[in-house]
Amino acid sequence: MKNKNLMEDLISVIVPVYNVEAYLDRCMDSILKQTYQNLEIILVDDGSTDASPAKCDAYAARDSRIKVLHKPNGGLSDARNAGLALAQGAYIGYVDSDDWIEPDMYASLYRACIDHHAQLAVCRYFQEYKDRTEAGGDGSVVPLAREELLQIYISGHESYVIYNSVWSKLFQRELVEGMQFPKGRNSEDIMYTTRAFCRLDRAVYLDRCLYHYVLDRDGSIMNASRAERMFGDELPFWREHIACIRKMVSPKMADLAAYAFERRLLFYYIDAHRQKNNETAARLAAEVRADREEMDRIYASGIVSRGDRLRRKLFLFSPALYALVVRWYEKLVIPLRQ
């Protein structure tokens, strides 16, 4: 990528809209006030039954950068795909219509891509609860090669917030050309982000909160039945994520992803056990046992910590005993360490 002057490239911002009349003004005001003005703003009305469609049309009448598509309800993925089909920008961004963004979000992400010859930029985000806002970051800008980025994405890192959410990222158009969100599914960001990460050569991380993510709005997808979404969409997508990394990157990186997936399953098991959701806990235990042969190989490969090897042995012996040990460990040992 050659160096370019700021403001040269068109950025397409895709905003799916469904029954968010109470939040749309806040979202749109934050996009229209961007210091980066060369935007194409695509509002996809996904069959809203409130005043959202009229609001979308009113915004388009006020600003020539705004395009509106009215379509039958098909869900978040379908709306994003419809917006992506209309997008003309050299870069693609996503904003959920009940969230909002900082005034310099796209200027900062774009500048970071240009300065560091990156195909994707990712930032931290504010976590917006009804009674508080949580934030972090030291303002640093860190370029990352593909393997570094994937390692953080898969295993986590205390210094980085790099998750699968597409709204915290700016994608170079060529990077996501031909990619689609899976229609009718939740947790749809997992595979879109995984494929983008596997395709790229270089990314850049901004340790600044630039996006405001609303976590507990009534009626949001995140508040839908947790178990239904987890078993129907999330866990299958994480398995697909492992297969994608194995095919596009390396078996070693895929083994790391499989290890991280098992740790996720164990974490979910403990959560379900605490909530006394025995059916969900039993299904999670079955998920762990289903992978036993493959995970035996990975746990013997040297990439797994001794503590995790012991925890897995205990879980396979007795999930209920494992949950009891974790409970007492958190109650007694962690306070002593702190």
Side-chain angles (χ1 to χ4, degrees), residues 50-301:
D50 64 358
S52 297
K55 279 181 171 283
C56 289
D57 290 337
Y59 274 110
R62 287 165 43 190
D63 195 313
S64 62
R65 297 176 299 168
I66 299 173
K67 299 177 180 178
V68 178
L69 172 65
H70 298 286
K71 60 179 287 297
N73 180 254
L76 178 59
S77 291
D78 193 48
R80 284 175 172 170
N81 289 338
L84 194 56
L86 292 177
Q88 301 296 311
Y91 290 82
I92 307 292
Y94 297 92
V95 178
D96 286 353
S97 51
D98 53 349
D99 299 332
W100 72 99
I101 60 179
E102 288 291 288
D104 64 336
M105 175 168 169
Y106 285 117
S108 299
L109 294 177
Y110 176 76
R111 183 78 268 169
C113 282
I114 298 303
D115 288 348
H116 297 279
H117 306 284
Q119 297 146 294
L120 177 148
V122 55
C123 65
R124 274 187 182 256
Y125 53 89
F126 297 96
Q127 298 181 70
E128 299 289 350
Y129 296 90
K130 289 180 180 178
D131 59 347
R132 69 189 190 281
T133 297
E134 294 183 2
D138 62 12
S140 60
V141 178
V142 184
L144 296 166
R146 182 181 71 164
E147 283 67 25
E148 294 174 299
L149 177 69
L150 282 168
Q151 180 100 16
I152 296 166
Y153 176 51
I154 290 167
S155 302
H157 192 291
E158 63 181 10
S159 299
Y160 301 88
V161 179
I162 301 178
Y163 299 141
N164 53 276
S165 53
V166 296
W167 36 254
S168 60
K169 300 169 180 65
L170 182 64
F171 302 86
Q172 191 181 66
R173 184 186 185 89
E174 288 84 353
L175 182 65
V176 296
E177 200 72 56
M179 285 172 43
Q180 295 271 293
F181 292 91
K183 183 178 177 180
R185 307 281 297 277
N186 293 319
S187 302
E188 62 284 321
D189 291 12
I190 293 172
M191 285 312 302
Y192 192 92
T193 294
T194 296
R195 288 195 180 97
F197 283 3
C198 289
R199 283 182 172 189
L200 61 75
D201 297 312
R202 191 173 182 84
V204 60
Y205 173 71
L206 285 72
D207 198 34
R208 286 180 55 208
C209 292
L210 296 171
Y211 189 99
H212 295 260
Y213 174 49
V214 178
L215 281 97
D216 52 5
R217 178 175 71 84
D218 293 338
S220 72
I221 290 175
M222 291 301 292
N223 286 336
S225 170
R226 173 62 174 147
E228 180 182 347
R229 186 170 67 88
M230 179 169 60
F231 290 108
D233 295 322
E234 182 186 348
L235 299 187
F237 279 139
W238 284 122
R239 292 187 184 279
E240 188 178 341
H241 149 95
I242 297 166
C244 179
I245 292 171
R246 191 173 303 280
K247 179 179 179 181
M248 298 181 67
V249 183
S250 70
K252 182 177 180 181
M253 191 69 75
D255 285 352
L256 186 64
Y259 169 36
F261 177 64
E262 175 143 309
R263 294 187 67 185
R264 182 185 299 272
L265 290 175
L266 295 178
F267 174 81
Y268 287 170
Y269 175 85
I270 291 298
D271 189 50
H273 192 273
R274 283 177 180 150
Q275 300 297 323
K276 295 182 169 51
N277 191 332
N278 297 331
E279 180 182 353
T280 298
R283 292 177 68 184
L284 287 164
E287 291 273 351
V288 173
R289 293 191 182 99
D291 297 331
R292 183 164 185 171
E293 184 176 343
E294 175 70 359
M295 294 310 299
D296 282 347
R297 178 188 66 78
I298 293 171
Y299 270 69
S301 68

Side-chain angles (χ1 to χ4, degrees), residues 4-20:
K4 301 177 181 179
N5 294 323
L6 186 65
M7 310 296 284
E8 182 177 342
D9 285 312
L10 178 67
I11 296 176
S12 295
V13 181
I14 298 169
V15 186
V17 176
Y18 180 69
N19 290 352
V20 287

